[in-house]
């Protein structure tokens, strides 16, 4: 690992209440891959086998049935890190040990069950993350769910246990549940609120979806209007989310969502970068493409973020 | 820290069953800021980013998106303490270490979820409070909620764990839930009852809302009438709440509620002071004002309480 | 503490499976106050601030807002013990240390919440009882509640932990819930059954309400008729409850219930004494009276029990 | 304790995976009382004070209000063991220490509450059993209840903890709940299934009710018909249950149920013995009779089982 | 145990993140019985006494009432392992110690109770498996059940505890519950998804039912059509499931289901083998046949798998 750049040191300074172990692993995330030292992130997450099933996830590019495929893709693309559930890391982590920082996603959901209040199952532990050589844990919350307390309290314990093991926590914050309309799940106010909640719960890195030009909550809508908070461009909306992340003092990255055309992906990434996003976490748009295309796309995404520094 | 005044010593004498660590931290709260030594309190609490979302909380005065802002405001205003959830303290506690007593709010709720019975999530731990150098923990109960047992029992464990760490507990007691009408949430009898419950659960400091001239419970109404308990002025009602706090042997402070005009705020504070309140805990009325105005308002509030000693 | 009388030794002999610590504290209860050595009990319990709210409890005699008041009343009246929730003992226990045996009531309920199945919250711990110098713990069960398993199982753990700390357990057994009619809550068969359950759960002392001349359960009614079990006088009914307490080998005392006239109270106490009750636990009828009247009434009650030995 | 007979050694050989402590206490059960050495059992269980209330249980023979009565009855009758809930053993265990093996019934239910899914409360612990000098623990399951998982999982933990303390486990297996018709509770197929479940959960001794000539489950009925499994006589049905108990390699005994006439009791016991039952566990039919009659009846029952060896 | 073959070493290489203890026991499973060294499995599971009741399970071949019968059958047939619930192993494990690898099935369900969301009870522990000399634990999940989180989280803890004891985990993955149609329980997409979930949860060996030519989930159906995934033959469908098992890097075996004719069984096994199954787990089709027939059938099944290597 090279010496940390000034930007990396600046970002680390916002985590000054954390122990050196946690800061060391945050530094590892920021000092690896093509974007090393820039303070920007492109992460490859592959939990879709669990979340959507293997056929929907890997049939478009069957190499992906094999967990090794994704590890190698993330390494070759120069990603900052690779994130996956327990089983995928069990198969491949030993083989690729030390080649790329890994993030163990501790909770997961599937689409086979019908549940009243969305709530992922905690399917792995901090001890597993340590055992598998990971640099961070990942955890998904669904603000808006009636089961939110279960999720926030599990996260509280995991954050604390991870800190004791020197691991930072990355929180996937996906508003969902009876308290929110379908459209509201990606509303700009809800995105900003969801990011704030993740930060308050102790997340070191927050992941949200790119917000839409829509305000969900009635009380908040009045505030957006009264203070003329701009929401028209993606950059505007990302800026609002970044503010909600402790005024930019917590790293926030955005997901890519469903697979789509290359130009569409890049256009979105440009908006994210312009709004001040710390980076992208891109799954299906990467691994469902043929490998060569995926490497090309990821390189383009990284280039956009590099230019934004 | 200066030598404790007689008033501070008197107040500490009511906590004689507590260990020296707890009393030391109670003394720290009472010996800091403009009101040091008076036994009066003005505390700055900033949990609205979690409770109402960042836009509603900070758009009126955008400096507040940054947790450092509030820390500095509380220090410059001469508050006794600054209270916030985990994430806010993670960002700023190290930077301002030792400059003002801090209170870690251990449980929090958001407005994204619809829940049947109000119950905050426990989002941080006593160990976090110790690690972050806090002098006390904060916890919210909702008497009147069907989930009251969960909350009282969590609080029991946290009070005990905090005592063992030498930390006193501040309980936000907010009547709410299926057992109480909307108007009843600030009824004078309910406020007194809610304060009593907090004390019986082991709170060292109780925080309630200023009660209204309304009696909610039928059985209690008969008693108020039979014994002609006065409820007409805010001072009358505060006096009833103070009685409910072990006849004044437990510290009770009052919140300011929604943002409002300066004179309105001061008028209310005068009523609180006249009724024997130990002080105010004032969030939105402070941090949603421009910084200079906020400092001025807080100084005026402190002046009122100083005169009441 | 004076040497134990033969009667005290006899009562202790029924607790021969308990350790010496528990028996020592049972002896302390029996060897204190006006009735020391008689094997009879008059206990002052003050949990009404929690259970009914401060106004309903203390407005009739406002000195009672202060926890010190009750401690002093119990001492001056020569009660065997004073029982209260955590907060009240926190305020006063240190001040009155060693002057009277105290009982920490570990669970409590309030009247602000509407709950489906009655179940008190466990608001303090055995460790608190030890820390506060108590000689026993108190716990309330609601036989008849759908939440009975929660209550019985909490009690099981508390009894065991208390034993390990040398503390006996006093169980308030109040039938209540969907399984019982309102009238049935004080039915003689239900009272006897509730007392038996408390004993089987390991209670050292049982507290029930004075039973009425009514049989609730159909199957039991046949038995009362077939075997001509008398239920007409209070003494008859108390005798049945005493039988249900391991044929008198577990101490059972009766509460006084709502405040009422002095003669009415004494008449009831005479019935209790005639039926073989080990004593009374008298709250509102004591502390809601002016202090002098209360002392007089308690002296009269003690006199009745003394004569019954 | 005399030297173990060949039959006792044979029975112990089926428990070869257990530790010596457990086998020692199984041997104590088999080597005590009138049937010592025969491998047959007559046990006196008295949990009816808890399960049905004191009046229904003890009014027919009021000596039984006193726990000492039952201890003495079991000793004088030459029973293998006496089984009771915590409270009864607390009163008497020290007095009769070492005179008869005792079984602590760890969970109990009462008839005061209405519960949706039958589930007893765990009212005592393995530690209590050890402290009170017991040779075994007892636990009731209700196969057919929607709360079955709670019960099976509690039992799993108790069996393990008991083994570690050298105590075998006796499981009362009483089919009951929404999954079974009233008549089905004593159906022969259900009895056999309930016995199998208890064995699979690790029971050392199983207790079921004498099955009736009725098959509850549709799928199983086809099997009984296809393979012509006889169910006409009680002996036939007991034989089926014994098969379900690991082909006779787990001890299974049968309860007597409600009080009835002497000849009726003995007729039933003859059927049990003919079918290969290891014995009877007889409560109300014993302790609700006058003591002399009870001793006579128990002697007759033991004689029947002795002849069956 | 003979020296591991190259195939066994290859399979073990996919478990490289596991500790040596786990790999040793995986090797024991693969190096025992007729198929030793081939990397193929035929396992005898007997949990039907618990799952369907003793009569339905053992009346067709009454020798099976005795747990010893199955142990001896598995040994004589040359199976890789014998799997059973706690009670069955308690009876026989000591007698047959060291003669065949055993698997303790940690959770079980019965057909007596009606439950809203299918969820087995955890009826034994990893400590039991260690105590009884087992080489692995078994656990059943019901993907599609509303109680899935309970099951996945229990499994997470058991997998971790088992790893610490050097034991691999075999997961029975049976889709079932409100999220899935009856037909969908054996749909090919659901089978593949259920297998993937088991792998992601950390299963070392997965057991599913042979999938049918049916696709349940609408979104997945589109994918099967778009990418022309073949599902017509059993071999096609098994191949899809094997892909879902980390592209074949996790062992997956298939159950036989209800008893049926010999040729029907063998035809199905041929399909499994052709699709790349690692083997069969065959219960009722083995133990409900007369012993000689069962041995013959198992030998034929093994022969099919041997030829497929």
């Amino acid at each position: 690992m090279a010496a940390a750049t000034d930007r990396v040191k600046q970002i680390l300074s916002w985590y000054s209440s954390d122990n050196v172990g946690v800061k060391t692993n945050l530094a590892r995330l920021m000092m690896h891959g093509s974007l090393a030292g820039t303070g920007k992130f492109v992460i490859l997450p592959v939990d879709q086998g669990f979340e959507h099933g293997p056929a929907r996830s890997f049939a478009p590019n069957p190499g992906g049935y094999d967990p090794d495929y994704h590890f190698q893709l993330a390494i070759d693309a120069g990603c900052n890190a690779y994130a996956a559930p327990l089983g995928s890391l069990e198969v491949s982590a030993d083989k690729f040990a030390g080649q790329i920082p890994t993030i163990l996603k501790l909770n997961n959901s599937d689409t086979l069950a019908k549940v009243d209040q969305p709530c992922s199952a905690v399917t792995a532990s901090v001890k597993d993350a340590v055992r598998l050589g990971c640099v961070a844990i990942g955890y998904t919350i669904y603000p808006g769910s009636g089961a939110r307390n279960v999720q926030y309290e599990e996260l509280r314990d995991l954050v604390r246990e991870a800190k004791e093991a020197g691991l930072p926590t990355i929180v996937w914050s996906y508003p969902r549940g009876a308290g929110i309309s379908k459209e509201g799940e990606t509303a700009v106010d809800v995105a900003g609120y969801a990011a704030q909640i993740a930060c308050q719960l102790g997340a070191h890195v927050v992941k949200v979806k790119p917000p839409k030009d829509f305000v969900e909550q009635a009380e908040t809508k009045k505030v957006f209007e009264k203070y003329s908070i701009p929401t028209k461009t993606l950059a505007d909306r990302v800026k609002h989310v970044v503010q909600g992340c402790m005024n930019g003092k917590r790293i926030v990255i955005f997901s890519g969502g469903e697979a789509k055309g290359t130009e569409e992906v890049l256009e979105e990434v440009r908006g994210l970068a312009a709004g001040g996003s710390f980076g992208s976490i891109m799954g299906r748009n990467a691994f469902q493409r043929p490998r060569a295309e995926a490497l090309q796309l990821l390189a383009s995404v990284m280039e956009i973020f590099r230019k934004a520094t």
Side-chain angles (χ1 to χ4, degrees), chain A:
Chain A
M1 198 157 81
T5 61
D6 285 351
R7 175 61 179 164
V8 166
K9 285 180 187 164
Q10 181 189 30
I11 294 173
L12 289 177
S13 76
W14 304 328
Y15 296 87
S16 63
S17 303
D18 267 297
N19 64 40
V20 181
V22 170
K23 281 182 279 199
T24 299
N25 277 315
L26 274 174
R28 282 184 181 126
L29 277 173
M30 291 191 280
M31 296 303 293
H32 184 87
S34 300
L35 293 169
T38 62
K40 297 292 181 182
F41 295 77
V42 173
I43 294 175
L44 179 72
V46 188
D47 59 357
Q48 290 79 2
F50 202 136
E51 301 272 334
H52 306 141
R56 276 176 66 194
S57 305
F58 306 127
N61 182 23
Y65 280 112
D66 192 326
D68 288 359
Y69 178 87
H70 307 289
F71 238 112
Q72 194 66 57
L73 178 65
I75 293 166
D76 293 346
C79 290
N80 299 62
Y82 167 59
L86 181 69
S88 294
L89 291 189
E90 290 281 5
V91 171
S92 310
D94 182 63
K95 182 168 173 183
F96 296 96
Q99 300 189 36
I100 187 170
T102 55
I103 300 157
L104 178 57
K105 256 203 80 196
L106 294 193
N107 65 342
N108 291 282
S109 189
D110 62 66
T111 59
L112 289 176
K114 275 201 303 199
V115 288
D116 284 342
Q117 299 286 6
C119 185
S120 296
V122 182
T123 59
S125 69
V126 171
K127 282 192 171 66
D128 290 319
V130 170
R131 178 174 56 81
L132 293 165
C134 300
V135 304
I137 60 167
Y139 186 91
T140 300
I141 57 173
Y142 298 131
S145 166
R148 119 203 128 176
N149 282 18
V150 171
Q151 300 172 51
Y152 294 178
E153 298 185 351
E154 283 174 355
L155 177 55
R156 173 201 67 211
D157 287 342
L158 294 170
V159 165
R160 187 176 56 210
E161 190 185 349
K163 276 177 194 271
E164 287 170 7
L167 300 182
T169 300
I170 300 176
V171 173
W172 276 240
S173 192
Y174 285 178
R176 189 175 300 178
I180 303 174
S181 73
K182 191 69 202 163
E183 198 179 5
E185 291 181 3
T186 51
V188 61
D189 61 323
V190 170
Y193 199 164
Q196 165 81 200
I197 289 169
C199 291
Q200 292 290 12
L201 292 168
H204 296 87
V205 179
V206 178
K207 172 195 180 293
V208 293
K209 294 185 181 171
K212 303 277 172 57
D213 185 11
F214 174 71
V215 179
E216 163 90 352
Q217 297 197 297
E219 286 298 307
T220 314
K221 194 166 180 132
K222 290 181 205 158
V223 171
F224 270 75
E225 284 164 4
K226 183 170 179 190
Y227 296 98
S228 306
I229 302 177
T231 63
K232 206 169 162 194
T233 68
L234 178 57
D236 288 335
R237 301 188 296 268
V238 166
K239 205 174 152 188
H240 179 70
V241 172
V242 170
Q243 269 188 320
C245 288
M246 306 305 196
N247 208 30
K249 290 185 174 167
R250 282 294 174 265
I251 297 162
V252 58
I253 59 181
F254 293 77
S255 58
E258 292 188 11
K260 42 200 167 193
T262 298
E263 187 41 40
E264 207 181 337
V265 170
L266 295 178
E267 187 55 34
E268 189 174 88
V269 169
R270 280 180 212 114
L272 297 174
S277 168
F278 287 72
S280 280
I281 181 159
M282 187 171 288
R284 281 170 286 175
N285 276 299
F287 69 73
Q288 289 187 345
R289 274 177 167 73
R291 188 176 136 90
E293 273 185 46
L295 289 170
Q296 179 55 47
L297 177 67
L298 289 166
S300 304
V301 169
M302 290 172 193
E303 193 53 30
I304 292 169
F305 281 114
R306 187 190 318 278
K307 282 185 184 155
T309 57

